[in-house]
Amino acid sequence: SARVGRRKIVPVPDFPLPDHGPLDQDPLVPPPRDSHPSRSSSPRRSLEPALDCPLIFDTRKWNWSLGPPFRVPRRWCACGIMSDKHLIVASGCGKDWDLALSKSAEMYDPDVEQWVALERLKSSKFSGQAINAVNFKGKLHMVCGKGVGVMYDPKTCKWMDMPKGMRNGWNGPSVVVDDNLFVLEETIGRLKCYDEIGDCWTNVVED
């Protein structure tokens, strides 16, 4: 990772785990507020069963720190921001794969500075993958490469299945811009936008 300046790229400091080797590439989460992106990661060796807290990078102080401990140590989990301030991590695994952990989810609330348990996922298929969850129209969306897509509704505190058309067309990196959900279909160079009314995807740019 690096900081982009006007004329040069400046490397960011090393992760605060110098004795434990490289980190698995779990999702880098955008800052919920105050420009503090965080990465939920774990080393490929040591620190078993998994990382017990997120790593936080402060772009103002330009340094890393350890965040509040998870309820359950985990790695290879889905991560995303809900309601501009609540960080959610879901699924993943510890030292060994565990069904209960793979269906678990928790949310960090900065107002109370602690992680709280959420409703369990119906599927364990999100474990073992680095997944970025996306906040779209007030719900947190996440998909995995195993044919499963879910949404978390903070109003009902429930997980629900994605609409069929949304899930079938969500086959690449995603981003939300001005309340529009875009997906890049990398294999053919196609940028698509989701049509919520028709539950379908429309092409924006195609190579």
Side-chain angles (χ1 to χ4, degrees):
S1 300
R3 174 170 55 182
V4 180
R6 290 184 177 181
R7 296 185 179 179
K8 61 181 180 179
I9 297 178
V10 182
V12 300
D14 292 334
F15 288 105
L17 300 170
D19 300 325
H20 298 284
L23 295 172
D24 288 341
Q25 293 303 306
D26 286 3
L28 177 67
V29 182
R33 61 184 181 186
D34 298 333
S35 300
H36 295 164
S38 64
R39 181 184 292 275
S40 176
S41 307
S42 64
R44 293 193 178 95
R45 55 183 182 271
S46 300
L47 284 186
E48 296 179 348
L51 201 66
D52 60 3
C53 65
L55 302 178
I56 301 173
F57 185 72
D58 189 326
T59 56
R60 297 173 303 180
K61 298 179 180 179
W62 207 247
N63 62 14
W64 292 95
S65 62
L66 300 179
F70 296 128
R71 292 173 57 88
V72 180
R74 65 181 76 218
R75 57 182 173 178
W76 289 108
C77 54
C79 302
I81 298 294
M82 185 82 266
S83 303
D84 296 329
K85 66 177 183 178
H86 297 98
L87 173 64
I88 290 179
V89 295
S91 194
C93 59
K95 178 181 178 181
D96 300 306
W97 188 85
D98 178 78
L99 180 62
L101 192 155
S102 69
K103 292 185 176 182
S104 69
E106 52 188 304
M107 177 181 70
Y108 179 70
D109 187 341
D111 294 330
V112 296
E113 298 184 347
Q114 65 180 8
W115 294 88
V116 296
L118 300 181
E119 181 188 44
R120 290 168 54 81
L121 294 161
K122 297 178 181 178
S123 173
S124 64
K125 292 183 178 181
F126 292 96
S127 63
Q129 299 185 51
I131 298 172
N132 285 318
V134 178
N135 189 348
F136 176 59
K137 297 296 180 71
K139 297 182 179 68
L140 196 69
H141 297 64
M142 62 185 194
V143 299
C144 72
K146 302 175 182 177
V148 179
V150 296
M151 308 180 297
Y152 180 77
D153 188 343
K155 294 181 179 179
T156 62
C157 300
K158 298 288 185 180
W159 293 98
M160 61 188 72
D161 293 334
M162 272 187 184
K164 184 177 180 180
M166 171 185 272
R167 172 62 194 98
N168 289 343
W170 198 321
N171 50 8
S174 58
V175 66
V176 174
V177 180
D178 295 332
D179 289 330
N180 292 305
L181 173 62
F182 296 93
V183 162
L184 177 61
E185 196 170 346
E186 296 177 295
T187 55
I188 58 175
R190 177 188 296 165
L191 180 66
K192 305 180 293 187
C193 182
Y194 179 64
D195 179 352
E196 190 174 15
I197 296 177
D199 187 28
C200 60
W201 296 84
T202 58
N203 294 343
V204 177
V205 178
E206 185 169 355
D207 187 3

